[in-house]
Amino acid sequence: ADAGHQAAAGALASLNLSGNGVAQDVEEGARWLRTSANAGNQEAQVDFANLVLEGAGEPDDRDRASIAGWFEATASSGDLVAAFNLGLCFAQGVGVRKDEEQAALWVRRAAEGVAEAQYAYARMLQDGRGVAADQKQARLWFERAANAGMVDAQVALAEMLLNGRGGASLPVAAAQLFKRAAAADHVGAMFAIGALYGSGQGLSLDPAAAQKWVAAAAERGHGPAP
């Protein structure tokens, strides 16, 4: 790796990032990934760009135009994960000027097959970031991500179903989604179930069950729970 061998630098990065054979060291792993990426290793370029998006690396790494460029080269060839990451670059201003419309364009492309992108695009539609606000479409994209097993999307969809945003109010369906998310230890969903048992909305009125779920949320640090 010291002699400039791309694959060796990439392998050393992997060892440092995973803690395999050495103490885990994300910054050291990022340093070796940067070396391999700068030498032209495409796999290292994507991995390093991902690390930068997650906040690793040096402060000036986020300003490097090559970060977005590495994603764009892969995204343009049809890689949906790279398209999602490129959308995040535009959303966060990593390696490019922040551009919410471009972010929405790439995230929408990735949403054809990436659950995280489906959820992110639904949020964009919900908030009107980079696209016109559309609660009905947001609900549909949350549903796709929820059906793919994404817990945050299940909770977001449940909130829309409960409040009748983007379509009819369906409290029973909302309660079932909250229960699915709670089974995956989503604390906000636990609190929501307690609230539904307490109000009898979507679930049979049950003060004891309400107290149990609110207490479970409180034990896990959920703020609104007493």
Side-chain angles (χ1 to χ4, degrees):
D2 282 333
H5 194 282
Q6 293 179 19
L12 192 54
S14 178
L15 293 174
N16 277 279
L17 291 169
S18 65
N20 187 4
V22 292
Q24 188 176 32
D25 188 333
V26 174
E27 291 307 313
E28 183 71 1
R31 184 173 76 84
W32 284 113
L33 266 183
R34 186 189 299 106
T35 298
S36 184
N38 287 338
N41 186 292
Q42 291 186 338
E43 183 177 351
Q45 289 171 350
V46 173
D47 288 343
F48 179 63
N50 276 318
L51 274 183
V52 172
L53 274 179
E54 293 167 5
E58 300 296 328
D60 60 355
D61 283 331
R62 294 179 67 86
D63 297 326
R64 297 176 57 181
S66 56
I67 295 295
W70 289 334
F71 282 136
E72 186 170 12
T74 310
S76 297
S77 67
D79 188 304
L80 297 182
V81 174
F84 177 49
N85 288 330
L86 181 57
L88 294 181
C89 285
F90 278 109
Q92 299 176 21
V94 176
V96 290
R97 181 178 57 82
K98 189 173 180 179
D99 187 328
E100 290 188 339
E101 290 186 5
Q102 281 294 311
L105 185 153
W106 284 104
V107 170
R108 170 63 181 85
R109 183 179 299 187
E112 290 302 323
V114 178
E116 290 84 355
Q118 292 164 0
Y119 174 76
Y121 188 59
R123 284 291 186 202
M124 290 173 169
L125 287 163
Q126 193 174 53
D127 300 337
R129 287 183 290 109
V131 290
D134 188 329
Q135 301 305 311
K136 183 177 180 180
Q137 283 296 311
R139 185 159 152 168
L140 290 174
W141 283 106
F142 277 136
E143 184 175 9
R144 288 187 64 172
N147 289 339
M150 191 173 184
V151 176
D152 285 340
Q154 292 168 3
V155 173
L157 176 61
E159 290 171 348
M160 295 194 82
L161 294 176
L162 182 64
N163 297 316
R165 285 191 292 145
S169 176
L170 302 171
V172 174
Q176 295 309 307
L177 280 167
F178 280 132
K179 284 188 172 183
R180 282 172 60 188
D185 292 327
H186 192 288
V187 180
M190 294 178 184
F191 182 77
I193 293 170
L196 293 181
Y197 272 122
S199 66
Q201 188 178 14
L203 294 168
S204 299
L205 187 66
D206 189 334
Q211 185 176 10
K212 182 191 80 170
W213 282 104
V214 169
E219 288 170 4
R220 292 164 175 79
H222 192 269

